[in-house]
């Protein structure tokens, strides 16, 4: 008999603005309802349609800085004048219960996670081409040209961090990208390191023969 895994996998997903991360994540979570999506803390204002505690935990700068001082974050970063951070407590509890946890964070935060949790699985999502990213950002029609150019410039900088990641997923279509991520997670779940503790009794039985 195999046992449930003892420790959850920490999954980090990053990618440039406009690549379609949220859509891919929604699809992924509908396929893998057992994954816990970590809701980040941020000091930025909620956008239309965003709910506190669902999309983000929206806090003031003072509250966020208090959390930094009390070392309540696994990682945090400043992105376009706002703080974003991952609460250590919630994800630690989930991982200890054997639940996989998904973080959707930018590249500086991902670098911190890699350093603090070397077993984390880091996935970077890119569009098929840079032109496609530009087309998608223009297609949103919610931002003016200078904001779009800023996002494209930032994306170029983010691409330089790709070698830090374990996997690169090309979002040519949401089903394909989701399928690739599901395959990555399936393979990660088969690692000997993951499975050995699950079959410990079996191994002890064989050794006793
Ligand atoms: P947005 O303001 O568009 O929701 O997010 C801006 C950026 O912040 C995105 O690249 C997103 O991945 C990143 N982000 C969201 N939550 C966190 C977090 O907890 N930590 C870090 N480092 N980045 C985050």
């Amino acid at each position: 008999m195999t046992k449930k895994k003892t420790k959850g996998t920490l999954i980090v997903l990053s990618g440039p603005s406009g690549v379609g991360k949220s859509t891919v994540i929604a699809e992924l979570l509908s396929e893998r309802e057992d994954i816990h999506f970590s809701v980040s803390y941020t000091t930025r204002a909620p956008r239309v349609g965003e709910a506190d505690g669902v999309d983000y935990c929206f806090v003031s700068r003072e509250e966020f800085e208090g959390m930094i001082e009390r070392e309540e974050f696994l990682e945090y970063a400043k992105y376009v004048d706002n703080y974003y951070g991952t609460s250590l407590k919630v994800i630690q509890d989930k991982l200890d219960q054997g639940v996989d946890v998904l973080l959707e964070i930018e590249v500086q935060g991902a670098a911190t996670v890699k350093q603090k949790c070397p077993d984390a699985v880091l996935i970077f999502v890119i569009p098929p081409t840079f032109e496609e990213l530009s087309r998608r950002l223009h297609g949103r029609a919610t931002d003016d040209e200078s904001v779009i150019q800023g996002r494209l410039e930032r994306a170029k900088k983010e691409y330089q961090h790709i070698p830090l990641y374990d996997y690169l997923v090309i979002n040519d279509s949401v089903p394909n990208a989701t399928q690739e991520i599901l395959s990555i997670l399936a393979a990660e779940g088969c690692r000997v390191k993951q499975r050995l503790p699950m079959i410990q009794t079996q191994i002890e039985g064989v050794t006793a023969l």
Side-chain angles (χ1 to χ4, degrees), residues 7 66 68 78 113 119 134-135 137 158 164 170 185 197:
K7 190 102 172 104
I68 297 174
K78 230 179 193 175
V113 172
D119 286 343
S134 168
R135 204 184 58 75
L137 286 172
E158 286 168 343
L164 165 83
I170 299 163
L185 300 183

Side-chain angles (χ1 to χ4, degrees), residues 14-160:
S14 307
S17 171
V19 74
K21 279 170 296 185
S22 323
T23 321
V24 171
I25 287 175
E27 189 68 20
L28 177 68
L29 296 178
S30 73
E31 294 283 334
R32 284 276 317 267
E33 289 178 359
D34 58 315
I35 294 178
H36 172 81
F37 179 72
S38 162
V39 179
S40 297
Y41 283 76
T42 185
T43 58
R44 88 151 159 74
R47 295 191 185 121
V48 176
E50 285 184 334
D52 189 27
V54 178
D55 301 283
Y56 283 104
C57 295
F58 295 99
V59 293
S60 67
R61 186 165 286 257
E62 292 68 35
E63 284 173 279
F64 199 101
E65 285 170 350
M67 290 179 76
I68 297 174
E69 268 170 41
R70 295 190 298 276
E71 300 185 347
E72 290 175 16
F73 289 117
L74 167 67
E75 63 72 36
Y76 69 91
K78 230 179 193 175
Y79 182 97
V80 198
D81 296 333
N82 280 300
Y83 282 122
Y84 293 83
T86 307
S87 159
L88 183 59
K89 171 94 180 72
V90 178
I91 69 157
Q92 196 62 63
D93 288 349
K94 293 286 175 193
L95 293 172
D96 288 346
Q97 291 160 17
V99 175
D100 294 343
V101 176
L102 174 65
L103 310 182
E104 192 255 281
I105 62 177
E106 50 67 66
V107 291
Q108 303 163 67
T112 308
V113 172
K114 186 77 184 168
Q115 192 197 346
K116 290 190 177 172
C117 315
D119 286 343
V121 181
L122 272 65
I123 305 172
F124 198 92
V125 184
I126 55 165
T129 61
F130 215 75
E131 290 68 37
E132 174 63 16
L133 185 67
S134 168
R135 204 184 58 75
R136 288 184 196 175
L137 286 172
H138 282 94
R140 278 177 172 179
T142 47
D143 300 310
D144 62 33
E145 190 55 30
S146 65
V147 174
I148 294 175
Q149 288 311 322
R151 294 216 162 122
L152 288 169
E153 278 312 307
R154 180 173 286 276
K156 282 186 194 154
K157 293 202 182 92
E158 286 168 343
Y159 272 38
Q160 291 166 13

